[in-house]
């Protein structure tokens, strides 16, 4: 399959999938240019007294092994330990990431802990037991669900990590939690490392959500894909080519793609509306590369919005306490604009 061959070549060509190098997907006829836990009851998000057992002093291993999370507790943090440092939630650091907010980390794990304690399902397998037995690497995949209002649109958030690991605690969990507070139904994907396998897992995840939309209580129209760094490449590829190109079902493209800090430059004439943001001091993803891509897409009539932030480096996540703080509100508003068209 031509697309699969291009993806395999990309995995070798990119430095951990995060550099601003030209994508090998250009072979597939694209146009190329360079601390309080919310309640889930009734889908309403209300701020209550801090609930959950974790603090910044809690050892990360204690969170992973908490009985409430069962077998999927290990997927809350990178399973490849050599990409993390720090022994407690407050000390957590992730390779290629900056501006990690310990309070956000604590809020995420306490929120999930409280939801599970209240009987909610927060994790879904996207592969069957038979599929995982045939390919043990699929054991390290799944969807964390940050439920919003019943019947509202859904988003899938994809963390980066250079296609070597999944930095969800900085690059997808915070986004999903904030979107759920706004009423959106947000999923954070844990995928297999590697550009091709990551896109296959995202395609499978989207197919899973569509197939189970009634049970999940989500609206599948104008869904959005979010991602940072390698995760932004995933969102862009699925936006350009659709889930079926990566082994998923024949489903619509997303209504919007939200991207952070990636040098991805490929696009097609039929790409979805795209929002992008990046720091001007990003040594991995050049902000001008991102700007050129969106300018070219805009010239084709594709709705775009681009932001670049002075002095900010790679992997800033929500950007809490930085010049980028509030970008997620702008991105959510951009998505909402596409819903209205």
């Amino acid at each position: 399959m031509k697309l699969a061959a291009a993806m395999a070549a990309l995995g070798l060509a990119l430095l951990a999938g995060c550099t601003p190098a030209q994508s090998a997907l250009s072979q597939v006829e694209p146009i190329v240019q360079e601390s309080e836990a919310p309640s889930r009851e009734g889908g309403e998000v209300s701020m209550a007294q801090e609930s959950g057992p974790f603090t910044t002093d809690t050892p990360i291993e204690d969170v992973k092994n908490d009985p409430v999370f069962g077998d999927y507790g290990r997927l809350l943090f990178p399973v490849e330990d050599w990409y993390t440092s720090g022994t407690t939630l407050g000390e957590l650091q992730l390779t290629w990431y900056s501006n990690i907010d310990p309070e956000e980390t604590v809020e995420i794990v306490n929120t999930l802990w409280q939801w599970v304690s209240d009987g909610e399902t927060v994790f879904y397998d996207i592969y069957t037991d038979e599929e995982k037995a045939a390919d043990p690497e699929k054991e390290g995949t799944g969807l964390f669900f940050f439920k919003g209002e019943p019947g509202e649109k859904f988003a899938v958030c994809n963390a980066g990590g250079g296609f070597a690991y999944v930095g969800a605690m900085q690059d997808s969990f915070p986004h999903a939690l904030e979107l759920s507070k706004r009423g959106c139904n947000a999923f954070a994907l844990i995928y297999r490392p590697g550009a091709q396998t990551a896109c296959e897992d995202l395609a499978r995840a989207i197919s899973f959500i569509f197939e189970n939309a009634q049970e999940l209580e989500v609206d599948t129209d104008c869904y959005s894909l979010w991602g940072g760094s390698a995760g932004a490449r995933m969102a862009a590829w699925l936006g350009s080519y659709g889930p079926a190109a990566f082994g998923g079902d024949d489903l619509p493209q997303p209504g919007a793609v939200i991207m952070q800090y990636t040098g991805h430059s490929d696009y097609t004439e039929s790409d979805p509306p795209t929002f992008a943001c990046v720091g001007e001091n990003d040594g991995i993803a050049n902000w001008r590369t991102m700007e050129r891509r969106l300018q070219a897409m805009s010239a084709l009539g594709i709705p775009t919005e681009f932001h670049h932030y002075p002095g900010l480096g790679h992997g800033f996540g929500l950007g809490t306490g930085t010049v980028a703080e509030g970008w997620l509100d702008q991105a959510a508003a951009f998505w909402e604009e596409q819903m209205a068209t």
Side-chain angles (χ1 to χ4, degrees):
M1 182 179 178
K2 196 174 182 182
L3 182 59
M7 291 294 290
L10 179 68
L12 296 175
L14 297 181
L15 173 59
C18 286
T19 63
Q22 179 173 308
S23 166
L25 275 178
S26 59
Q27 301 172 32
V28 198
E29 301 180 356
I31 300 171
V32 179
Q33 301 282 342
E34 258 304 351
S35 59
E36 291 181 342
S39 167
R40 279 175 89 164
E41 184 175 355
E44 296 290 337
V45 177
S46 61
M47 301 309 291
Q49 292 295 320
E50 181 178 342
S51 55
F54 309 121
T55 71
T56 54
D57 294 325
T58 301
I60 293 170
E61 289 300 314
D62 286 1
V63 180
K64 291 181 181 180
N65 297 322
D66 192 292
V68 163
F69 296 130
D71 292 339
Y72 59 83
R74 63 189 177 87
L75 300 180
L76 288 165
F77 300 89
V79 295
E80 301 83 0
D81 291 339
W82 46 89
Y83 291 103
T84 67
S85 62
T87 59
T88 68
L89 295 178
E91 297 168 346
L92 175 68
Q93 294 296 319
L94 301 170
T95 301
W96 301 307
Y97 284 100
S98 60
N99 304 102
I100 296 176
D101 184 349
E103 296 303 322
E104 286 177 355
T105 303
V106 171
E107 181 184 9
I108 290 162
V109 293
N110 273 336
T111 297
L112 291 172
W113 186 95
Q114 188 60 58
W115 284 345
V116 178
S117 298
D118 290 343
E120 299 281 354
T121 300
V122 302
F123 182 81
Y124 290 89
D125 285 305
I126 57 175
Y127 292 108
T128 65
D129 290 341
E130 291 76 16
E131 289 171 317
K132 288 186 286 185
D135 183 356
E137 289 188 359
K138 291 178 178 176
E139 292 279 358
T141 66
L143 281 171
F144 283 91
F145 187 22
F146 293 74
K147 189 174 180 65
E149 295 279 358
E152 287 298 321
K153 311 291 185 186
F154 80 85
V156 183
C157 302
N158 304 279
F163 290 122
Y165 80 101
V166 182
M169 197 54 74
Q170 168 71 348
D171 219 19
S172 61
F173 289 162
H175 306 59
L177 178 57
E178 290 304 313
L179 287 171
S180 74
K181 291 178 182 178
R182 290 160 174 76
C184 302
N185 291 293
F187 298 85
L189 175 64
I190 308 300
Y191 56 85
R192 291 169 292 167
Q196 177 68 34
T197 51
C199 287
E200 290 172 2
D201 291 344
L202 178 54
R204 180 58 172 263
I206 297 168
S207 301
F208 173 88
I209 296 168
F210 267 78
E211 183 178 353
N212 296 280
Q214 185 172 357
E215 175 191 341
L216 296 168
E217 297 184 299
V218 302
D219 181 353
T220 57
D221 290 338
C222 198
Y223 69 97
S224 62
L225 298 180
W226 298 56
S229 198
R233 292 183 183 273
M234 295 164 58
W237 280 322
L238 269 290
S240 293
Y241 304 109
F246 299 94
D249 295 336
D250 186 10
L251 299 170
Q253 292 173 299
V257 170
I258 313 297
M259 306 172 65
Q260 290 182 274
Y261 34 78
T262 179
H264 184 81
S265 57
D266 295 354
Y267 62 94
T268 71
E269 291 182 345
S270 59
D271 258 36
T274 299
F275 176 104
C277 64
V278 62
E280 292 182 5
N281 283 12
D282 194 319
I284 295 176
N286 188 294
W287 70 271
R288 295 189 184 277
T289 300
M290 297 186 72
E291 182 181 50
R292 285 195 296 270
R293 178 178 184 264
L294 265 69
Q295 287 174 339
M297 293 169 65
S298 182
L300 290 171
I302 299 170
T304 67
E305 184 173 334
F306 179 66
H307 298 271
H308 53 96
Y309 309 111
L312 199 58
H314 193 73
F316 54 81
L318 294 183
T320 305
T322 75
V323 293
E325 185 167 356
W327 77 264
L328 186 139
D329 293 323
Q330 295 171 317
F334 177 84
W335 179 23
E336 288 174 5
E337 289 172 8
Q338 313 318 313
M339 298 178 195
T341 60

